[in-house]
Amino acid sequence: MDNVPPKPTTLPVQLDTIPPELKTLPRWVGWRWAYNANKPSGHHQGWDKPPLNSSTGTLAASDNPDTWGTYQQAVDFMRRESLDGIGYNLLGLEGVVVHDLDSCRDLETGEITPQAMSIVRLVGSYWEVTPSGTGIRGIAYGKKNGTRVEASKGGPLDGAQYDGSRGRYITLTGHTLPESTQDITDAHPGGIEAAYSLIFPARERKTGPPPNPDPVDLDDDDLLQKARAARNGDKFSRLWAGDTSGHGGDDSVADMALCGCLAFWTGPDAAHIDRLFRRSGLMRPKWDERRGDSTYGSITISKVLAEATEFYRPGGYRGNG
């Protein structure tokens, strides 16, 4: 093909250092670099790593277990067909959080950027170099606390944080970092949350007046009644009752969602949001657990207010910027 950029460098797979607990489950596929002319230029310059079924050699699907195989089948397939590597499917693996950090490692020196190394140290557990040698990937037991998955390009980190609830597969090289554990372990306390904040920093507000609104002239019960009668009233009522099913049963994500609803109705009033949240069915001891110099509840409210731009006012909402 004309004008096709060269295939990325590929690290040979080091089988002995792949976490043994992953090898026991039939979630494996092979993969080979494939050029995708429709993929935006940038990372890998249009080259993809589509998963391949080790039994048929056809494309596998990260949301279809019938296209996966055992670890040994994937290894044999890789060797037989001279593939570029093997991969592992995450679908349904609750309690596993993956961090993918791209374009953070120097291919020649192996030096990793300080921002990426901060996440390695915050999260802990298993970390390895990605196939191209220019990124790193970490796998840890824990719970994702936010809803965002892929970081915006041009930010301080080109990366992602995702969990096993999504249909996704990851490549594995076994090229572990010196800081890596041999097995997958629990993330350090608060590490996944801290990593999320680094990968997805709060969006800066557009230039405009600071969010110092006049107090909402309604008592709490009247405000809650308005929230229940609004267009998203059903969603609000379920969250208020403590129902997290609309957020995959993820308590932390549900907390953020309810605080987002409350922020609209109270304005950016952290104390008011806190007072109402404590009356909700989502309130639990974790809300007051210490997180450094703050608490889980205060951090949750701060994250919500950092991105909130619309607030209720009689006669219509008020936008901020």
Side-chain angles (χ1 to χ4, degrees):
M1 292 183 291
D2 294 334
N3 301 319
V4 174
K7 187 172 71 171
T9 300
T10 311
L11 297 177
V13 180
Q14 294 183 346
L15 299 174
D16 291 343
T17 46
I18 290 176
E21 59 264 52
L22 298 183
K23 297 178 180 179
T24 62
L25 298 175
R27 293 175 164 270
W28 292 88
V29 292
W31 69 270
R32 176 188 283 125
W33 289 108
Y35 183 69
N36 181 355
N38 296 318
K39 184 176 182 179
S41 61
H43 189 54
H44 297 328
Q45 297 184 298
W47 286 91
D48 276 338
K49 301 185 289 292
L52 300 173
N53 185 323
S54 57
S55 296
T56 65
T58 57
L59 286 175
S62 59
D63 59 355
N64 183 3
D66 291 339
T67 64
W68 312 341
T70 66
Y71 168 75
Q72 194 58 52
Q73 285 174 325
V75 171
D76 292 344
F77 179 40
M78 174 182 67
R79 290 169 170 166
R80 184 175 66 250
E81 300 296 331
S82 299
L83 302 181
D84 291 307
I86 55 177
Y88 187 82
N89 291 280
L90 297 171
L91 182 66
L93 283 184
E94 300 297 337
V96 172
V97 177
V98 175
H99 291 87
D100 263 329
L101 306 179
D102 296 325
S103 305
C104 65
R105 181 179 182 271
D106 187 286
L107 186 59
E108 299 299 325
T109 66
E111 183 178 356
I112 297 170
T113 63
Q115 298 96 327
M117 282 307 304
S118 292
I119 291 181
V120 172
R121 297 187 180 104
L122 283 167
V123 176
S125 190
Y126 178 84
W127 284 87
E128 66 168 37
V129 182
T130 56
S132 67
T134 60
I136 59 175
R137 175 177 295 116
I139 310 172
Y141 294 123
K143 201 166 191 179
K144 180 175 166 61
N145 64 298
T147 58
R148 298 174 69 182
V149 176
E150 302 281 351
S152 300
K153 300 297 181 184
L157 281 167
D158 180 3
Q161 184 189 81
Y162 47 88
D163 57 31
S165 65
R166 294 172 175 264
R168 185 186 289 261
Y169 101 103
I170 57 174
T171 57
L172 285 162
T173 67
H175 286 259
T176 55
L177 303 189
E179 296 80 4
S180 175
T181 58
Q182 180 178 359
D183 301 322
I184 299 172
T185 65
D186 291 337
H188 296 323
I192 292 174
E193 293 176 348
Y196 184 90
S197 297
L198 289 176
I199 298 173
F200 309 107
R203 298 187 181 98
E204 293 184 6
R205 295 181 182 275
K206 297 179 181 179
T207 302
N212 294 318
D214 297 328
V216 176
D217 189 21
L218 289 171
D219 65 30
D220 287 354
D221 289 335
D222 288 340
L223 206 62
L224 292 172
Q225 185 175 350
K226 279 188 171 292
R228 295 187 184 101
R231 282 183 298 177
N232 66 342
D234 288 344
K235 170 188 172 182
F236 175 83
S237 295
R238 289 193 297 272
L239 287 168
W240 183 258
D243 181 357
T244 63
S245 60
H247 299 275
D250 190 320
D251 293 339
S252 297
V253 175
D255 294 343
M256 294 278 287
L258 178 57
C259 286
C261 293
L262 293 174
F264 173 82
W265 291 104
T266 65
D269 185 338
H272 199 171
I273 296 170
D274 179 74
R275 184 172 76 241
L276 286 173
F277 187 94
R278 292 176 183 278
R279 292 178 54 184
S280 78
L282 291 178
M283 179 60 191
R284 57 198 187 283
K286 181 180 179 181
W287 189 252
D288 291 316
E289 287 181 0
R290 300 301 303 178
R291 297 288 192 274
D293 294 331
S294 188
T295 63
Y296 166 79
S298 295
I299 292 172
T300 300
I301 293 173
S302 296
K303 288 178 180 177
V304 167
L305 292 182
E307 299 194 14
T309 58
E310 297 179 356
F311 309 107
Y312 165 75
R313 288 294 176 269
Y317 72 83
R318 191 193 80 169
N320 182 54

